[in-house]
Every structure is written in C-alpha cells, then in structure tokens.
Amino acid sequence: MSAEATNPEARSEARPELRRRGRTRLDLRRLGRAALLGPTSRDRLPDAIGHVAEAHRAHHPDADLSILRRAYVLAESSHRGQMRKSGEPYITHPLAVTLILAELGAETTTLTASLLHDTVEDTEVTLDQVREEFGDEVCFIVDGVTKVEKIDYGAAAEPETFRKMLVATGNDVRVMSIKLADRLHNMRTLGVMRPEKQARIAKVTRDVLIPLAERLGVQALKTELEDLVFAILHPEEYEHTRALIAAHAGERDPLPAIAESVRVVLREAGIHAEVLVRPRHFVSVHRISRKRGELRGSDFGRLLILVGENADCYGVLGELHTCFTPVVSEFKDFIAVPKFNLYQSLHTAFATSDGHVAEVIVRTRQMHRVAEAGVVALGNPYATAAATAAATAAATAAAAASGATAGSAEACADPYEERVDPTRPGWLSRLLDWQQSAPDPDTFWSVLRAELAQDREITVFRADGGAPATISLPGGASCIDAAYAQYGEAAHGCIGARVNGRLTSLTSRLSDGDTVQLLLAHDASSGPSADWLEHAHTPAARIAIGSWLKAHPDGAAATTTAAARAPLSVVGARGGGGNAVADLPDATVRLAGCCTPVPPDAVAGFVVRGGAVTVHRVQCAAVAQMRSLGRTSVAVHWRATADCRVTLLAESFGRPHLLADLTEAIAREGVEVVSATVEPPVEQRVRHSYTLQLPDATGLPALMRAMRDVPGVYDVSRA
C-alpha cells in the first residue's frame, strides 16, 4: 500500500497535520473531468480497466459497471503523479488488486472499494467524500483497509492497523478480502525492496495473512502467498523444490493417462464429470518431499473431479474405489463434515496397476468456487438482509397508503454501523471478544499470532440448553476454554465439568461433538489457579486468568502451595471392633480400615500379629489375599446392638467452608465423627475421609445422601 507509493513533488512537502483530519476538501467533479480528457468517452469504461470489467462480467453478467468507472476515475486522478518503487505508475497497484478479486468472483461493491482502497491513505481524498460519492458500504470497507497514522501510533502502528482491520472484518468480511489481495500484489513486487524489509514483510505474511486466508477459505490467494513467502524466507529449500519441479517437467507425467482412465470409468457409469490434472504448488511439493523422500511422477499433482450435485461426488467415489485399488488411509469426507473455513470436498487416493498412486479431490462446481475463493465467493453478506429490508419498506409504504398505522419505528440514521456480518465465523467472533481485553499492542500482536497458529477447530454442545447451543473452540481446547467462552469472567468460579455426562477435571481436553456442562461455585470468592494457564488454549481464557492472578497474588500463591500442605486430620477418641464378635475366646476384635464393615455386611476375620482378629467384608481384596496365603479365617458375627462404625470417602470440588458444611450435614443425621482427613486439593478437587460412629446401621444410606447434597460434593462412597 502506501509503503510503495512515492510522489517526490507533492508528498515530500506535505505536512503531517494535512495528512490527518484537517485535509482540504477536493473538488471530485474537477478531478473527474480531468481524468476523462482524452480518447475515453463518458459512456464507456476507461481502457485501463477493461480487463477488470471482463473478469467481473464473467462471474456477474448483469453487473452495473458505471460505479467501477467512477471509482477508477477518482483513483487514477488522486494517485496521478505517484510512482511505485518498481517505477510503475501507482494506479497499477489498485488495478492489479481489483483484478485479483474480480477473477475470484467478487461482487461490484468489493471491486469499487478495492479501486479506492489506497486513496484515503495515500492521497487527499477523505472518507466523507468516498461516502458521498459511493455510499456507506464502500466507505466502511475503504476505512477498514486504511492504515492508522504512524505519527499517532509509532511502533504500534502495524498491530493497531491489524486490530482495526479485524474489527472492521467482523462487520464486513470483504475488508479482509481486499487486504489479502493487496498483500498478494505487494508480495509479487517485493523484489524491489531491501532484503531485510522483504524478510520482515514475509514473516508478517506467514504469521498473520496466510492463516487468515486459510481461515477465510481463500485458497487461491493462500497458496500463492505461501510460495512467495517460501521463496523469501527459505531460498535454498525453494531452489531445491524448483529444481525438482523442473526435472519433473522433462519427464513423462503419468497423471494425464490416469485422468483419461478415470474419464472412461465415469463415462461408462453415466456420471457427467470434468476430470482435471492439478499441479501442486511449490510449498505442497516441498511438504510431500519431506514426508515421502524420493518423489514419484504422480506426486507432483492431483486429480480434480468436478460434478454437478453432491450425490454425484459419492457416485464418483464408489466408482473409483470399485475400479481401482483405494488407499484407505487417504480417505477424508469434508462434505459430510466441512472444515471450519467452509471447505467441502471428498479426498481419496488409489493405486494403479503399474504402481502409481494418484491423489484425488472430488467436489461440485459450487464447492470448487467456494474452495478457491472462500468468503469472496459468498458475495455481499448483506444482500439477503437488504432484500428483506426492501420488502419490509414496501409493505410499510403500502400500509401507509391504505391508512394503516406504520408504528413508532424510525429509520436508523446509519444502519450500516449497527450490522454484524451474518457470515462471521466463530473464530473471528472469539478473536473480536478477546482483543478488547488486550489493550497493549504487543500483547495483542503476540496473542494474535498464537491464535492464528491454531489450524483446527472443534464444536462442542452446551448441556444446559442455553443459547447459543454450540461453542466453537480451537483444536486442543480444554474445559477451561469452554468455561471462559461461555461465561466470560464468571468462569473464574468454575469448579468442574461434566463431559458427555461424566464428571471430569477442568483440564480435560475436548473433542469435536462433545457435550459440556460446566459447574460454577456458589462462593463468589472462588478463582482460577495458576496451573490453569498450562491448559488454557484460547486467548480469551489466558488473558482473563492472567488478569485475575495479577489482581489476586495472595489467592494465586495459596492455590500454588496447596499441594505442599499436609492432610488435615481430626481424630476422635473411640476405637475397637464396634459390635462385631469373633468366635475366638478372649480375642480383641478390630474392624478393618480398608473396608470398614457394618451390619449386616457378610464378614470374615483373620488373626493378625498380637492375637487380635481383624474383620473385613468378604468382598474386600484383603480377604482374597489372606486366603491365597493359606490363612484360615475366623467366624465373626454381629451383636444384636444396631450401632456401628464406618469409613466414608467424599470427593468434592474445592471451595471455602466445605469441611464445615460436610461436618454439619453429618451432625444433622445424629452421627459421631471419630476421625476426619482432608487431602490437599488436586486440580480443584478435594478428597475427604471420615470414620463415623452410627447409632443405627440402617441410617447409612440416608447419611450418604445427605453428604452428597452438600454443594460441591459429587461422590460419596464407602472406603
């Protein structure tokens, strides 16, 4: 963009304050008349954009080209006298960017904004003038791709420009379409710059623009950007790959013959399909050479099969797997399960009789258009909304003409500002949410790169039935990420989760399609622990956790050192064998702590050192071990008295006052606590062990239910 614009006569004398909001208003009509002087008449397009018009009409035969003509006139007039560093007139840049988008099928509004995308940044044209001449949507898109003033932001200008651009993309994804095409043309002409500047721009392209192109599904731009970055950042590997491709060009390529065989098979099956040989781009060849080592002739390309309907895709797949030997490990169905960037296709591979392996992509022509152009192929995201609004307006006018009351609704002065792009993907919504919590440009820039490095997305379902019903997360996300995506800062009090109905820790990783129920603490003082940061993958979760820990250093220290504390124990004075009696005269009877039998459990006793008899439940593992050692059991029976002693294990999520609440619940049941042990929290979970004296063994089920009803307790069992 402006980095390559030079105008030594005008721009070297321009004061910074004139480049900002206090610009002199230009007479656009005068500029328009000046641009029209020459062989071009008012009723036809200037020759310079004839190729853009042809590409646009190929996708949109009925498009009105008059607005493109007016946009070109303004762009050419305002950029007149400016040169690129390559020596070309600057107008060649917006023309090239517009042609890239036109070939991808962009609609007229996008192309209009593309022609004007550098006017506000590099000339004296203002946003108000763009709005007056071309409307709110074109003005919004042009503003979205305009860089912030470096004089205002200094070193933070680049990250703040991307922040501004991403926020604008959330309202209209066409903003990013123009930015990607702009970067592609600049990368094509990057050779005129110093090597260090080439490397800097290539790294930003690799870390930010290429991942954005992938997420927006614009594969045609992404693949070329990858090759251009590859050539700059890895010149030796690039030259090696280019040599491999050049050597292959001189050899016999087996793919055309394989493609013809596939055409014959599909023709005989009655499937109308177009079979093409699609060469791999440089980065793809490099990746496959690293994966497979020595490359074969069929590795330099793939077969692309285009059909009319979705059902035909599976028909083609059936014929290929019937008539050739399929490579099962290479099959992927992205039609039934599309990628998060709208991509749909069937991927497979088969081996021929002469040993070649051909990789195949099967898709409809509409899928192919979306796969190549991504969001560009979706056109105007507000077209449907605009049609609905027009119909509503017409109905309102008709009602008013018939005397009906139209209501008190008033037209919004600027409805465009109130809209949110209905095609906005989930990852972009997450990005827009967390960027508000990252005011520091360096934090935003580093976290943005980390977020865009996530190349896979999963969808999980909310078990509570709330809206939205699904949560989109990056691959590898944990329950912690889901908690912050659903509850925001309220997730600080999350104490556990159920995944697919089963209780699990917050650090558990989620899989695509999981159902998640998040459990929040009732105590407002609950907060995250420092180890949550090790399991949080989304920027929203990491920023929120980091902010809380910074604001509560004492709470973080207490959580971190919890594992070093010794278990808390409370011991009573009673002991002995309760109401168990052994058939051994004068023997001391003890109830085993490992299984704590109570009436009417079936029990067995064993004589231990000192002559005492230890009583176990017959299901206890210790009984089987004793008998395997040849130990003889002693008969044990229960006295008629109903009291008994039992050890219960309570597992719960950690929270303040939990021990007091559990002890109170036990006391309400009339049960005496003989001893209690509380282990240190592990992943926000706490294990309690209680040895209790019950007045009546029949009250044990009611006691266990009362303990389970204590908030935070999720399981109570006998030891």
Side-chain angles (χ1 to χ4, degrees):
M1 293 166 75
S2 61
E4 294 192 24
T6 58
N7 188 353
E9 295 181 0
R11 296 180 62 82
S12 62
E13 300 176 0
R15 296 194 307 273
E17 59 268 21
L18 295 181
R19 287 283 300 115
R20 297 162 70 182
R21 295 173 180 79
R23 295 171 175 166
T24 304
R25 186 173 179 82
L26 300 180
D27 184 350
L28 297 182
R29 290 187 176 85
R30 180 180 60 79
L31 285 176
R33 286 195 298 271
L36 288 172
L37 294 177
T40 304
S41 62
R42 285 179 177 269
D43 58 351
R44 60 186 291 266
L45 283 168
D47 292 336
I49 57 170
H51 51 304
V52 173
E54 292 176 7
H56 188 38
R57 279 282 172 85
H59 293 277
H60 304 277
D62 300 326
D64 180 9
L65 301 180
S66 61
I67 190 172
L68 291 182
R69 174 181 174 277
R70 291 192 289 117
Y72 171 75
V73 166
L74 175 57
E76 195 279 333
S77 301
S78 57
H79 287 298
R80 186 174 296 165
Q82 294 179 350
M83 307 296 287
R84 304 191 84 212
K85 289 188 177 179
S86 60
E88 300 170 316
Y90 193 83
I91 189 62
T92 59
H93 171 66
L95 276 173
V97 172
T98 306
L99 179 60
I100 290 170
L101 292 168
E103 291 175 338
L104 289 175
E107 39 73 57
T108 309
T109 301
T110 304
L111 301 186
T112 303
S114 175
L115 284 168
L116 301 170
H117 79 272
D118 275 344
T119 54
V120 175
E121 181 179 323
D122 291 335
T123 75
E124 298 304 322
V125 175
T126 67
L127 285 173
D128 287 339
Q129 290 172 298
V130 174
R131 180 183 290 107
E132 181 181 331
E133 290 289 318
F134 301 99
D136 288 331
E137 293 198 11
V138 172
C139 176
F140 183 90
I141 297 171
V142 171
D143 185 31
V145 295
T146 299
K147 293 179 181 177
V148 301
E149 295 285 359
K150 193 164 187 178
I151 193 172
D152 294 330
Y153 289 89
E158 185 170 40
E160 289 302 329
T161 293
F162 272 97
R163 188 201 296 265
K164 172 191 172 188
M165 201 174 302
L166 287 166
V167 172
T169 300
N171 288 326
D172 196 324
V173 76
R174 292 174 290 183
V175 171
M176 191 54 66
S177 301
I178 294 176
K179 177 59 181 176
L180 292 172
D182 171 78
R183 179 54 61 96
L184 176 58
H185 184 246
N186 281 337
M187 288 293 295
R188 286 174 176 173
T189 58
L190 206 59
V192 298
M193 293 190 173
R194 301 186 309 274
E196 57 272 19
K197 190 168 185 179
Q198 291 185 35
R200 184 185 65 80
I201 295 174
K203 287 176 181 177
V204 174
T205 304
R206 177 196 63 193
D207 295 342
V208 180
L209 273 303
I210 289 175
L212 283 171
E214 168 70 18
R215 290 179 176 228
L216 294 172
V218 195
Q219 295 296 321
L221 302 186
K222 180 217 168 194
T223 53
E224 187 174 350
L225 284 172
E226 281 184 329
D227 285 349
L228 292 168
V229 168
F230 183 45
I232 293 172
L233 297 183
H234 306 281
E236 294 182 0
E237 295 178 357
Y238 176 82
E239 288 299 328
H240 174 70
T241 304
R242 190 172 70 166
L244 287 176
I245 295 174
H248 168 71
E251 300 175 354
R252 178 180 173 274
D253 188 350
L255 285 178
I258 297 174
E260 183 58 34
S261 301
V262 171
R263 292 188 190 99
V264 172
V265 167
L266 298 181
R267 193 181 307 121
E268 293 176 351
I271 299 175
H272 298 285
E274 184 178 2
V275 183
L276 306 172
V277 176
R278 192 171 195 186
R280 293 182 184 273
H281 63 107
F282 279 69
V283 172
S284 180
V285 172
H286 172 67
R287 287 172 181 161
I288 202 167
S289 66
R290 294 186 63 181
K291 177 181 176 182
R292 299 179 182 174
E294 185 177 352
L295 297 180
R296 297 165 295 183
S298 57
D299 290 333
F300 287 87
R302 289 182 285 191
L303 299 186
L304 174 63
I305 302 178
L306 302 178
V307 295
E309 304 292 338
N310 287 18
D312 293 336
C313 294
Y314 293 98
V316 169
L317 182 70
E319 293 299 324
L320 294 179
H321 285 191
T322 300
C323 300
F324 302 96
T325 304
V327 180
V328 179
S329 61
E330 296 292 330
F331 173 68
K332 296 180 181 68
D333 188 346
F334 295 117
I335 296 179
V337 185
K339 290 186 178 182
F340 67 91
N341 61 357
L342 310 177
Y343 180 85
Q344 287 184 288
S345 292
L346 294 178
H347 288 205
T348 190
F350 62 81
T352 62
S353 57
D354 53 359
H356 291 291
V357 176
E359 294 186 26
V360 185
I361 300 173
V362 185
R363 58 175 69 137
T364 66
R365 290 175 178 82
Q366 175 60 22
M367 290 177 192
H368 181 61
R369 182 165 177 252
V370 174
E372 292 296 294
V375 295
V376 179
L378 299 180
N380 184 353
Y382 299 107
T384 303
T388 303
T392 303
T396 303
S402 63
T405 302
S408 60
E410 297 181 0
C412 178
D414 192 359
Y416 189 79
E417 299 298 331
E418 302 298 325
R419 298 190 294 187
V420 173
D421 191 338
T423 64
R424 177 196 291 183
W427 63 265
L428 181 54
S429 295
R430 292 198 310 271
L431 189 153
L432 295 175
D433 289 340
W434 68 254
Q435 67 87 24
Q436 297 176 358
S437 304
D440 176 41
D442 292 335
T443 301
F444 168 77
W445 197 231
S446 59
V447 176
L448 174 64
R449 296 184 182 203
E451 165 77 357
L452 294 177
Q454 304 284 347
D455 60 355
R456 191 171 63 87
E457 186 158 312
I458 62 173
T459 300
V460 298
F461 297 88
R462 292 176 55 174
D464 58 7
T470 60
I471 303 173
S472 296
L473 297 168
S478 66
C479 295
I480 295 172
D481 299 303
Y484 282 94
Q486 181 172 337
Y487 293 113
E489 291 190 357
H492 292 331
C494 197
I495 55 176
R498 291 184 182 274
V499 177
N500 302 325
R502 301 189 63 172
L503 203 69
T504 186
S505 68
L506 283 173
T507 59
S508 298
R509 293 180 62 174
L510 296 169
S511 300
D512 196 37
D514 281 345
T515 299
V516 183
Q517 179 185 2
L518 300 160
L519 309 175
L520 299 182
H522 297 281
D523 191 339
S525 64
S526 297
S529 63
D531 62 350
W532 283 19
L533 287 173
E534 299 178 10
H535 303 280
H537 289 260
T538 58
R542 295 185 61 83
I543 291 173
I545 294 168
S547 299
W548 190 94
L549 294 174
K550 186 176 181 180
H552 301 80
D554 295 338
T559 304
T560 306
T561 59
R565 297 197 303 263
L568 172 64
S569 299
V570 180
V571 183
R574 296 191 56 172
N579 51 3
V581 179
D583 292 343
L584 196 64
D586 301 324
T588 301
V589 178
R590 298 174 182 167
L591 298 179
C594 56
C595 58
T596 58
V598 298
D601 291 342
V603 292
F606 294 89
V607 178
V608 295
R609 187 174 301 173
V613 176
T614 301
V615 180
H616 298 262
R617 283 189 283 168
V618 294
Q619 298 92 345
C620 181
V623 173
Q625 185 178 7
M626 292 283 194
R627 287 175 175 167
S628 67
L629 295 173
R631 303 282 293 275
T632 303
S633 62
V634 177
V636 178
H637 63 274
W638 298 106
R639 289 196 184 100
T641 56
D643 66 318
C644 64
R645 181 172 296 186
V646 64
T647 298
L648 298 180
L649 300 178
E651 296 187 70
S652 64
F653 297 113
R655 65 173 178 83
H657 313 302
L658 179 60
L659 179 60
D661 292 345
L662 268 170
T663 305
E664 183 181 353
I666 294 169
R668 283 199 302 265
E669 297 297 318
V671 176
E672 178 187 353
V673 178
V674 178
S675 66
T677 301
V678 182
E679 299 177 7
V682 177
E683 296 183 349
Q684 291 288 308
R685 294 194 290 181
V686 183
R687 183 183 175 95
H688 305 250
S689 176
Y690 294 93
T691 300
L692 307 170
Q693 189 71 29
L694 278 69
D696 190 339
T698 58
L700 182 59
L703 171 64
M704 296 175 70
R705 284 195 298 271
M707 294 174 67
R708 289 193 187 101
D709 289 340
V710 174
V713 177
Y714 60 83
D715 191 24
V716 176
S717 60
R718 290 177 61 182

